[in-house]
């Protein structure tokens, strides 16, 4: 026979289990509610609509916000030192940025490298004619999660998204593509 | 053909969360197979992290092979002249403190310190009818076997391929009757505290060796993992761990116990639309070999189990994440008669600094 003193102990796990179930249910409901209330991220990106704001913290300590570049054409490019296609694209972007700087073109480079790769990032950045900084996270606000590289976005002089890199099956920027995509915006 | 893009995963850049490991406890093929590595996201962040995890596993269903069996069905074996223990319930709560340090994005070192609370009841080898006065019970409430795991994920610049090597140390109490059944082998094994078994003279009043808080063995843990972004919002992952006893303290003739080798493989998806709330689903496959030795219940400790485990991880404050998972058995093929849970649950919190 189970002693009464032990029986009360036996009840504890069941009571605890009921409480745990309630806690788990509350936890999942809270998470589901949070999820349902979240703003959408990259799925909301639409060409022709206002471009989400983004801030570049440059390697030399400057803060460049897209919202403060109104009237300029902005190219946001996301890259990493270990990404070979990115490394081929960056010089093309750099040359294009240099050629069209006086037409109001601003290229901002966001590296997805971690802080441990900062020396390599600085080395690459020193060869580029546009500012570079570490993104610091895989998520770039309204541009969503940077899940493949390279990817770029173009914002027109009115602050509207003119090119959405997520919609492009072949996202690597070439000189020809830059001319086709960005030249019309610079006129 | 040269790829024109590189796929990455969110953990690449400073997702400050844990790189735990599958936690396996000293129980039969019952669960404990959630990949908390994946639950929290593999981390390339440097620095320290402390974490606390609660697991509950209530083994209240007897199963044989792929089917559930009733207690009277098992007791009938004893009515028919057989000798089969009719276990009633094993309710396990595990509280695990984790401390990890990552000196670089490539390396991680983690110490896991579990506290085991276990409430086990059994009818012993009783025949039908099974009545409450036949129930014997034992409580475990003590330190379990600690684990130290080293991880390396420097093979790829994205740090999404890693290997783990670790040791499970015999820090939890363990043991059973000695060879001539006149004393105790091991270290402070728990005894039944009520019911018929508790009335037996020592050492016949001891709880089964496999239900003690520790196994008395030093196990090697080998693991590997890989994860990859597969779309804008989804990561896929797979990880596996193999654990086997290298040394066991209960190694004398007629008082030996070696826990069965354990293989865990998990794979699943993480929904990464928002970095602050990451729902995910895992499939956890566990195969456990039979415990070995005179003190082992060799016939009733092996099996293969598959769980489907939905859960969510959320950032609740700076550098602080919580996660919760439920494991639901989808398949089980158990050797012998084993108590098995209808579900298990895991709650955890971690803080990085």
């Amino acid at each position: 026979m189970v002693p009464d003193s032990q029986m009360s102990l036996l009840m504890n796990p069941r009571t605890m289990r009921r409480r745990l179930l309630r806690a788990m249910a509350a936890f999942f409901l809270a998470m589901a509610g949070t999820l349902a209330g979240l703003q959408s991220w990259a799925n909301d990106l639409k060409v022709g609509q206002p471009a989400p704001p983004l801030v570049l913290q440059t390697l030399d300590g400057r803060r460049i916000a897209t919202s403060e570049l109104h009237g300029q054409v902005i190219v946001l490019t996301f890259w990493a030192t270990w990404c070979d296609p990115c490394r081929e694209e960056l010089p093309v972007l750099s040359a294009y940025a240099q050629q069209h700087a006086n037409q109001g073109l601003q290229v901002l480079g966001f590296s997805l490298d971690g802080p441990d790769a900062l020396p390599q990032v600085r080395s690459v950045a020193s060869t580029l004619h546009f500012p570079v900084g570490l993104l610091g996270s895989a998520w770039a606000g309204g541009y969503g999660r940077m899940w493949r590289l390279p990817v770029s976005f173009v914002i027109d002089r009115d602050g509207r998204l003119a090119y959405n890199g997520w919609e492009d099956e072949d996202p690597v920027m070439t000189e020809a593509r830059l001319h086709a995509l960005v030249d019309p915006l610079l006129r | 053909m040269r790829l024109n893009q590189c796929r990455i995963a969110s953990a690449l850049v400073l997702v400050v969360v844990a790189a735990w490991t599958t936690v396996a406890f000293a129980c039969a093929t019952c669960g404990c197979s959630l990949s908390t590595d994946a639950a929290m996201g593999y981390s390339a962040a440097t620095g320290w992290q402390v974490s606390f995890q609660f697991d509950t596993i209530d083994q209240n269903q007897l199963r044989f092979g792929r089917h559930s069996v009733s207690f009277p069905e098992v007791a009938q074996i004893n009515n028919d002249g057989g000798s089969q223990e009719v276990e009633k319930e094993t309710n396990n709560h595990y509280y695990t403190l984790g401390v990890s340090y990552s000196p670089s994005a490539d390396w991680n070192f983690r110490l896991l310190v579990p506290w085991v609370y276990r409430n086990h009841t059994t009818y012993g080898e009783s025949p039908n009818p099974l009545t409450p006065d036949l129930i014997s019970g034992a409580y475990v409430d003590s330190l379990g076997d600690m684990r130290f795991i080293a991880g390396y994920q420097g093979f790829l610049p994205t740090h999404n391929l890693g290997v783990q090597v670790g040791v499970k140390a015999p820090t939890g109490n363990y043991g059973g009757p000695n060879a001539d059944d006149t004393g105790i082998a091991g270290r402070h094994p728990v005894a039944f505290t009520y019911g018929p078994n508790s009335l037996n003279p020592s050492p016949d009043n001891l709880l089964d060796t496999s239900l003690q808080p520790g196994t008395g063995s030093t196990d090697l843990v080998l693991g590997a993992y890989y994860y990859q972004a597969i779309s804008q919002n989804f990561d896929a992952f797979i990880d596996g761990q193999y654990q086997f006893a290298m040394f066991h303290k209960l190694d004398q003739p007629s008082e030996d116990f070696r826990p069965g080798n354990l293989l865990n493989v998990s794979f699943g998806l993480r929904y990464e639309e928002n970095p602050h709330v990451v729902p995910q689903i895992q499939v956890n496959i566990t195969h456990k070999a039979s415990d070995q030795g005179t003190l082992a219940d060799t016939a009733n400790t092996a099996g293969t189990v598959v769980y489907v485990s939905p859960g969510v991880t959320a950032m609740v404050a700076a550098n602080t994440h919580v996660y919760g998972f439920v494991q639901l058995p989808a398949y089980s093929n158990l050797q012998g008669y084993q108590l098995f849970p209808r579900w298990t649950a895991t709650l955890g919190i971690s803080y990085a600094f």
Side-chain angles (χ1 to χ4, degrees):
Chain A
M1 189 69 186
V2 182
D4 287 345
S5 59
Q6 303 285 10
M7 186 63 85
S8 63
L9 283 172
L10 276 175
M11 296 298 289
N12 282 339
R14 296 190 186 285
T15 306
M16 286 180 70
R17 197 161 60 242
R18 279 198 297 272
R19 288 177 181 167
L20 179 70
L21 276 172
R22 288 193 200 109
M24 292 288 290
F27 182 81
F28 281 108
L29 281 174
M31 290 302 110
T34 306
L35 197 60
L38 290 173
Q39 68 176 89
S40 295
W41 300 71
N43 293 339
D44 280 354
L45 276 181
K46 285 189 174 55
V47 171
Q49 296 297 310
L54 196 61
V55 175
L56 176 71
Q57 303 285 351
T58 69
L59 298 177
D60 55 7
R62 287 182 294 148
R63 180 184 183 280
I64 303 174
T66 56
S67 60
E68 295 166 2
L69 298 175
H70 200 69
Q72 297 189 51
V73 175
I74 308 167
V75 176
L76 308 174
T77 186
F78 297 84
W79 62 281
T81 54
W82 42 262
C83 167
D84 290 338
C86 305
R87 297 293 293 272
E88 292 179 17
E89 179 191 74
L90 288 171
V92 176
L93 275 167
S94 180
Y96 189 80
Q98 191 178 24
Q99 289 165 15
H100 298 279
N102 57 4
Q103 292 176 263
L105 175 65
Q106 178 69 69
V107 177
L108 303 179
F110 295 84
S111 166
L112 274 86
D113 290 280
D116 54 319
L118 198 52
Q120 296 96 304
V121 176
R122 287 190 188 282
S123 174
V124 174
S126 68
T127 67
L128 303 176
H129 291 94
F130 57 83
V132 166
L134 300 183
L135 183 59
S137 163
W139 285 265
Y143 297 91
R145 184 173 73 128
M146 297 298 121
W147 69 281
R148 59 174 165 85
L149 295 176
V151 65
S152 297
F153 304 88
V154 180
I155 303 171
D156 69 15
R157 294 187 193 277
D158 294 325
R160 289 189 297 261
L161 190 68
Y163 169 72
N164 179 1
W166 294 133
E167 295 175 345
D168 207 327
E169 290 295 318
D170 183 12
V172 179
M173 285 290 176
T174 62
E175 192 174 345
R177 298 193 74 208
L178 283 168
H179 284 305
L181 282 171
V182 185
D183 279 4
L185 303 175
L186 294 171
R187 290 174 191 141
Chain B
M1 192 180 89
R2 185 181 68 81
L3 290 174
N4 68 344
Q5 56 187 250
C6 305
R7 293 192 176 190
I8 61 176
S10 54
L12 164 68
V13 268
L14 301 181
V15 181
V16 186
V17 291
W20 274 66
T21 183
T22 302
V23 178
F25 299 106
C27 44
T29 321
C30 62
C32 330
S33 57
L34 184 76
S35 170
T36 33
D37 276 329
M40 294 303 293
Y42 302 90
S43 175
T46 57
W48 289 89
Q49 183 183 70
V50 292
S51 53
F52 182 76
Q53 179 170 310
F54 169 70
D55 298 273
T56 179
I57 301 166
D58 187 7
Q59 300 167 250
N60 58 3
Q61 179 189 31
L62 265 178
R63 293 185 73 87
F64 177 85
R66 299 178 186 177
H67 310 287
S68 62
V69 289
S70 67
F71 297 115
E73 280 180 87
V74 181
Q76 187 62 38
I77 296 170
N78 300 320
N79 288 83
D80 296 340
S83 176
Q84 175 64 49
E85 182 181 5
V86 187
E87 293 184 302
K88 184 175 184 297
E89 183 176 10
T90 305
N91 192 8
N92 307 277
H93 294 166
Y94 302 100
Y95 306 87
T96 306
L97 175 69
V99 180
S100 79
Y101 176 65
S102 296
S104 71
D106 293 347
W107 289 95
N108 176 269
F109 303 96
R110 180 171 306 275
L111 179 67
L112 297 170
V113 183
W115 190 270
V116 180
Y117 171 81
R118 178 172 294 142
N119 178 13
H120 174 72
T121 50
T122 179
Y123 292 102
E125 296 181 0
S126 303
N128 283 314
L130 297 172
T131 53
D133 60 304
L134 299 172
I135 296 173
S136 298
Y139 302 105
V140 169
D141 191 4
S142 65
L143 179 70
D145 287 343
M146 294 164 54
R147 294 155 66 91
F148 179 78
I149 307 285
Y152 178 75
Q153 53 184 14
F155 301 108
L156 300 174
T158 43
H159 298 103
N160 56 336
L161 171 65
V163 294
Q164 296 168 323
V165 178
V167 173
K168 181 198 75 68
T171 51
N173 289 335
Y174 63 94
N178 65 7
D180 52 9
D181 212 20
T182 57
I184 290 174
R187 185 178 63 222
H188 308 304
V190 170
F192 282 92
T193 52
Y194 65 87
N197 287 2
S198 69
L199 303 177
N200 293 335
S202 178
D204 292 334
N205 62 344
L206 292 178
L207 180 65
D208 308 33
T209 303
S210 64
L211 290 169
Q212 298 292 338
T215 64
S217 64
T218 301
D219 297 4
L220 184 65
V221 180
L222 303 173
Y225 56 85
Y226 180 75
Y227 58 98
Q228 174 75 62
I230 57 170
S231 73
Q232 175 80 55
N233 293 325
F234 281 98
D235 275 355
F237 65 86
I238 183 166
D239 65 38
Q241 280 195 343
Y242 184 64
Q243 177 175 334
F244 62 96
M246 295 184 296
F247 315 105
H248 45 114
K249 294 193 173 185
L250 295 169
D251 60 354
Q252 297 303 304
S254 300
E255 55 180 55
D256 56 325
F257 177 84
R258 180 187 184 280
N261 298 350
L262 187 66
L263 174 66
N264 275 308
V265 175
S266 294
F267 59 88
L269 294 172
R270 291 167 55 87
Y271 184 69
E272 303 264 7
E273 182 184 26
N274 184 284
H276 298 139
V277 182
V278 180
Q280 80 175 257
I281 189 160
Q282 298 187 6
V283 175
N284 312 112
I285 304 168
T286 298
H287 175 74
K288 184 179 179 296
S290 296
D291 296 340
Q292 299 295 321
T294 314
L295 299 178
D297 186 2
T298 307
N300 302 293
T301 47
T304 301
V305 175
V306 179
Y307 287 94
V308 175
S309 311
V312 64
T313 302
M315 189 173 82
V316 293
N319 300 334
T320 305
H321 289 75
V322 298
Y323 56 94
F325 281 78
V326 175
Q327 286 194 287
L328 305 170
Y331 170 84
S332 63
N333 189 356
L334 306 177
Q335 195 176 89
Y337 294 93
Q338 296 186 37
L339 284 169
F340 194 69
R342 290 177 165 84
W343 57 274
T344 80
T346 297
L347 289 173
I349 184 168
S350 69
Y351 175 70
F353 56 98

